[in-house]
Structures are given as C-alpha cells and as structure tokens.
Amino acid sequence: MFKWLHPLAKPEILYHFCGRLLPWLMGSAVLTLLFGNIWGLAFSPPDYQQFDTVRIIYIHVPSALLSMATYTIMAIAAFTALVWQIKVVQWAVLAIAPIGAVFTAIALLTGMAWGKPMWGTWWEWDARLTSELILLFLYLGVIALAGAFSDRQTGTKVACLLALVGFVNVPIIHFSVEWWNTLHQGASITKFDKPSVHPSMLWPLLISLLGFYLLMLALFCVRLRTAILQNEQHRPWVKSALGGQ
Amino acid sequence: MYFDSFSDFLAMGGYGFFIWLAYGLTYLLLIGLVAYCFWEVKAFRQHIQQKLARAQRIKQYQEADQP
C-alpha cells in the first residue's frame, strides 16, 4: 500500500489524482444524497412516536456522523503532518477543516429543529449537544489559528497541533449518551448489534449517509487541489496545468 | 409515497415547519459550501492568469525598449 501511496505525496501527482476522482465523487454524491433524502422525505414511513419529525434523521444522523469522521481524518492528517512533515498532508488538514465545520453546523441546526417539536426546546446544555458545539469551536479554532500567524508555516503547524489535541473530543461526543444522563437518545445504528431501525427507514438513512460521505470526499478533493495550486503557484507545472484551461 | 397529496407532503402531519426548516438550512449550507469551494478555484485561476499575463506584458515592453 505504501508503494501506491508514496507518489501521492508529490503535489503535482496528487493534484491530477484528485482531479480524476472529482467528477465521479461529485456525481455520485449528488445522486445518492438526493436519492436517500427524497426516499426519506416522501417514501419512508413516519415513526410511531415521533410521527413525521423522524424524517429529520436522514440529514441529522449523516451530518453528525460525518462531523466526527471528518474530524478523525483531519486528526490523522495532522498527526502525519507533524511527525513526517509531509507538505501536502499539512495542506490537507486546512483543506478539510471548513467542510467539517459546515457538517457540524448542519448537525447542530437540524438537531435544534428536531428538538423543538420533540423535546420542547431548541437547545439544552446536555452532554451530547455541548460536546458537539465544542467540536464546531475546534474546527473554527483550527481555521482561525492557521490564519493568525504572519508566517504561514508556523500557523499551519499550530493548527495541526490543535486539530490533534482536539481529537480527544470525538470519543467524548460518541460516548456522551452513555456516560451521562442526556436528553439525547443513544445510538440507533451500531456496528456490532443488529440495528434497532426498521429496514424501511434504515436504507434511506444509510444511502443518505453514503451521500454525505461522498460529498465530503468530493469537496475535500476540490479544496485540496486549490491548496496545492496556491502553495505551488511558482512551480512551472502549475502554469502548464492551468494554461490549458 | 406515504402522503395522499402534495399539500399533505408539505404539511408533514403538522410538523412541516420544523422538517422544512431543517432541510432548508441543510441544503442552504451545503450549496453554499459547494459554491464557495468552486468559487475559490475560479478566483485562484483568474489570479494566476492575470499574473502570467502581466509577466508577459512586462517582458514584451522590455524587449521593445531594447534597441
């Protein structure tokens, strides 16, 4: 695998690799996301306790899971960037941060719109909600720190450190519903047990989740390509890559 | 389809406001993010092309100045 991965550390090769992946990722992301969401909105049954509000699950759960998955990817990239000092991986940390921030904001906002009719409140300072809000601040902190230094290299390194240290929050979010008494319900999909969700709701949920995942990867490709171009703009290959268009 | 009519679909059993609020905000943010990512690419391309064109012009004038 390393033999396959190694050439991708070269910015030029990674730029073209992402460019080839991009149309496939973006196309399949839009299709699966719309398919899963429309299935969930119109063709899945209402819940016996939550009635139609359960349809928010098809955006809330995927965006919440993705907010944590994106942070995990960012933390792994930050670790790699700090230990092995690979330039493109440092850029990747900064490229993925805004995407994760938007997913976290979506998870919080859809959760609020779901909480009002079901819990009777838009917001509650409970463990799951608070830790997810901290995740949003961590993303914003990474973005802000990277831009806060006049020396870009230092900013990137400090942002990587924060991304790595902030990873401690991800297991806290995940286990918050078990460790504390929360208003938020426990997990509906687990890897080891049979899911407690009926297939008529599980399938649109999983398809929406796949759609969010593909969208994250597609946008990651776009942002990483932009970051590569910005950092390599004085190299001759950038001129030839941009000259054709 | 779990709804009898389109107005039923919009009403969502009385929870329409919350559901369409959630979906509306989600798609607003997602479309905004996608647009921002592609705008960034476009803006950078323009920036580079302007820079290249400027370098080209300077070179031309320098060559023209030489006897």
Side-chain angles (χ1 to χ4, degrees):
Chain A
M1 193 179 99
F2 194 72
K3 215 173 162 185
W4 179 80
L5 222 52
H6 191 249
L8 290 181
K10 209 178 157 210
E12 184 185 353
I13 294 174
L14 186 64
Y15 176 83
H16 292 297
F17 176 76
C18 288
R20 273 200 302 278
L21 279 182
L22 184 58
W24 299 99
L25 283 173
M26 196 50 95
S28 53
V30 171
L31 285 179
T32 41
L33 192 59
L34 287 179
F35 182 62
N37 276 184
I38 290 171
W39 186 352
L41 270 174
F43 300 96
S44 72
D47 187 66
Y48 78 107
Q49 274 183 325
Q50 308 206 351
F51 315 108
D52 281 310
T53 56
V54 78
R55 298 182 198 284
I56 295 176
I57 204 174
Y58 306 111
I59 42 177
H60 178 69
V61 168
S63 57
L65 276 172
L66 254 292
S67 71
M68 291 193 281
T70 308
Y71 201 94
T72 309
I73 295 173
M74 187 171 81
I76 293 170
F79 180 78
T80 316
L82 287 172
V83 174
W84 287 285
Q85 307 279 324
I86 306 170
K87 281 240 163 65
V88 289
V89 184
Q90 293 179 349
W91 306 336
V93 173
L94 300 181
I96 205 168
I99 304 168
V102 169
F103 281 148
T104 313
I106 290 174
L108 286 167
L109 289 169
T110 53
M112 287 164 92
W114 200 355
K116 183 63 185 166
M118 286 299 110
W119 297 342
T121 175
W122 294 100
W123 185 260
E124 184 65 49
W125 291 104
D126 107 338
R128 175 55 74 80
L129 278 63
T130 310
S131 52
E132 183 78 9
L133 184 66
I134 291 172
L135 188 73
L136 179 63
F137 292 154
L138 281 169
Y139 275 122
L140 298 180
V142 168
I143 299 166
L145 261 185
F149 290 80
S150 50
D151 177 30
R152 231 159 113 185
Q153 198 59 35
T154 317
T156 310
K157 258 186 201 163
V158 176
C160 284
L161 262 177
L162 177 66
L164 189 57
V165 173
F167 183 71
V168 71
N169 192 34
V170 171
I172 294 179
I173 297 173
H174 183 78
F175 291 110
S176 59
V177 287
E178 291 168 29
W179 291 345
W180 294 288
N181 282 320
T182 60
L183 206 53
H184 198 284
Q185 67 182 77
S188 304
I189 320 168
T190 48
K191 285 184 191 87
F192 307 109
D193 293 327
K194 237 181 101 187
S196 55
V197 184
H198 190 266
S200 61
M201 293 177 174
L202 186 64
W203 277 112
L205 180 57
L206 291 179
I207 292 169
S208 300
L209 179 62
L210 181 69
F212 268 85
Y213 221 109
L214 290 167
L215 185 66
M216 184 271 280
L217 292 176
L219 291 175
F220 187 28
C221 274
V222 177
R223 295 242 334 139
L224 190 56
R225 271 161 64 93
T226 315
I228 291 172
L229 285 182
Q230 280 170 346
N231 285 288
E232 296 266 287
Q233 53 179 292
H234 302 297
R235 303 278 167 106
W237 75 264
V238 174
K239 276 179 209 160
S240 55
L242 290 181
Q245 275 132 3
Chain B
M1 190 86 172
Y2 271 82
F3 301 95
D4 297 329
S5 64
F6 189 66
S7 56
D8 250 20
F9 175 62
L10 287 184
M12 285 280 166
Y15 294 109
F17 171 70
F18 299 105
I19 292 167
W20 296 118
L21 177 71
Y23 274 85
L25 286 173
T26 301
Y27 276 89
L28 193 74
L29 282 171
L30 284 185
I31 291 169
L33 179 67
V34 172
Y36 170 71
C37 290
F38 282 106
W39 170 82
E40 245 180 354
V41 182
K42 214 183 131 196
F44 184 74
R45 270 176 201 279
Q46 276 173 353
H47 167 72
I48 280 291
Q49 264 148 12
Q50 274 168 4
K51 232 173 72 171
L52 287 178
R54 186 167 176 268
Q56 188 78 36
R57 278 199 305 276
I58 291 174
K59 216 172 136 190
Q60 261 176 7
Y61 285 123
Q62 277 174 347
E63 277 166 7
D65 278 347
Q66 274 162 14

